């Protein structure tokens, strides 16, 4: 089974991802994959340089992520161009990693995909697991975690599909409004319901 793990910003998805990893399931992290595909020598790295120029590089030749982020934040066309480079490269690498894990005999694999629903990646997974918090809690956690102002937090939340909308796409929901212990109990209940045990990975 391929589990697609998703959530909203500051929803606590990383906590559940770490728990699944500790249970023995291999986790393919889309954020980590996004960093890997833009390392020097990668095709996406070359395409980004062709599109955005060498002034977005650090002195060691790696991408200056802040410069690139500032560039695309101000220009919708450039953001679209970057996504057209990044998204196929990330998808291809995730599918490669998944195939390698399956070849090694792993029956249960977790794909940690923050934008699984926004990018219509449900075709890559068998089940969608959503880590949910209500929007008031989400805003408060985001402001505390990133020392963000209220307006900045609202803007960042608005850049993703709302948590209530995401719920409609999920096969299962972990309500992370309460304690971590409560969230772990929900996770264990879901795995039991799916007849999944760490030994089956």
């Amino acid at each position: 089974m391929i589990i697609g793990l998703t959530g909203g910003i500051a929803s606590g998805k990383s906590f559940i991802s770490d728990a699944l990893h500790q249970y023995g399931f291999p986790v393919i992290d889309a954020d980590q994959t996004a960093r890997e595909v833009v390392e020097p020598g990668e095709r996406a790295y070359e395409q980004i340089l062709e599109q955005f120029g060498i002034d977005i590089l650090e002195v060691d030749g790696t991408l200056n992520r802040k410069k690139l982020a500032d560039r695309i934040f101000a220009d919708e066309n450039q953001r679209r161009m970057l996504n057209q480079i990044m998204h196929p490269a990330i998808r291809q690498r995730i599918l490669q990693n998944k195939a390698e894990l399956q070849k090694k005999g792993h029956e249960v694999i977790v794909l940690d995909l923050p934008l699984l629903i926004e990018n219509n990646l449900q075709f890559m997974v068998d089940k969608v697991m959503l880590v949910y918090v209500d929007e008031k809690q989400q805003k408060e956690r985001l402001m505390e975690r990133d020392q963000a102002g209220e307006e900045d937090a609202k803007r960042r939340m608005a850049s993703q599909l709302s948590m209530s909308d995401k719920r409609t796409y999920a096969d299962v929901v972990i309500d992370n409004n309460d304690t971590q212990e409560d969230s772990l109990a929900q996770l264990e209940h879901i795995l039991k319901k799916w007849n999944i045990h760490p030994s089956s990975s």
Side-chain angles (χ1 to χ4, degrees):
M1 179 186 288
I2 309 300
I3 300 171
L5 177 66
T6 194
I9 187 169
S11 66
K13 177 182 60 62
S14 296
F15 172 71
I16 298 298
S17 181
D18 289 345
L20 286 162
H21 179 69
Q22 286 169 17
Y23 289 163
F25 302 115
V27 177
I28 300 173
D29 184 328
D31 287 342
Q32 175 62 33
T33 305
R35 289 189 285 274
E36 291 170 3
V37 299
V38 294
E39 288 175 356
E42 294 283 349
R43 176 66 184 134
Y45 171 89
E46 303 297 339
Q47 290 175 312
I48 289 169
L49 288 194
E50 288 168 18
Q51 187 62 53
F52 295 94
I54 61 170
D55 61 324
I56 58 162
L57 293 181
E58 300 279 12
V59 290
D60 64 358
T62 58
L63 286 183
N64 182 319
R65 294 173 188 282
K66 186 175 186 317
K67 272 189 184 176
L68 186 57
D70 289 345
R71 179 90 66 87
I72 65 167
F73 182 73
D75 188 324
E76 178 61 34
N77 283 335
Q78 294 212 337
R79 179 157 63 239
R80 197 177 300 116
M81 286 174 191
L82 181 64
N83 287 341
Q84 285 171 354
I85 295 169
M86 292 292 293
H87 290 175
I90 294 167
R91 277 199 300 272
Q92 183 182 11
R93 182 65 57 85
I94 287 172
L95 291 171
Q96 283 174 352
N97 291 344
K98 183 184 78 166
E100 287 171 12
L101 287 167
Q102 288 173 321
K103 202 177 290 183
K104 290 176 182 174
H106 292 284
E107 295 176 6
V108 178
I109 299 168
V110 179
L111 303 188
D112 183 338
L113 302 169
L115 299 178
L116 186 158
I117 295 164
E118 287 88 340
N119 290 338
N120 297 310
L121 300 178
Q122 293 94 321
F123 72 93
M124 294 174 67
V125 304
D126 299 312
K127 298 284 187 183
V128 175
M129 179 184 287
L130 173 70
V131 182
Y132 173 87
V133 288
D134 64 48
E135 291 180 11
K136 179 175 180 291
Q137 178 97 273
Q138 185 183 17
K139 184 181 72 176
E140 289 171 358
R141 288 182 183 180
L142 180 57
M143 289 170 66
E144 183 180 348
R145 187 191 75 182
D146 294 356
Q147 299 297 298
E150 185 170 0
E151 289 308 311
D152 184 41
K154 284 180 178 176
R155 179 181 57 78
R156 290 166 68 186
M157 286 167 60
S159 71
Q160 297 183 352
L161 201 61
S162 73
M163 294 299 290
S164 53
D165 285 340
K166 287 188 181 196
R167 282 190 85 126
T168 64
Y169 293 89
D171 294 294
V172 291
V173 175
I174 294 175
D175 186 324
N176 198 32
N177 282 300
D178 206 345
T179 64
Q180 291 185 336
E181 289 75 16
D182 181 58
S183 296
L184 283 178
Q186 293 175 63
L187 175 61
E188 287 167 9
H189 175 74
I190 289 164
L191 295 177
K192 200 172 290 183
K193 188 171 75 173
W194 286 346
N195 200 27
I196 291 176
H197 310 283
S199 59
S200 68
S201 73

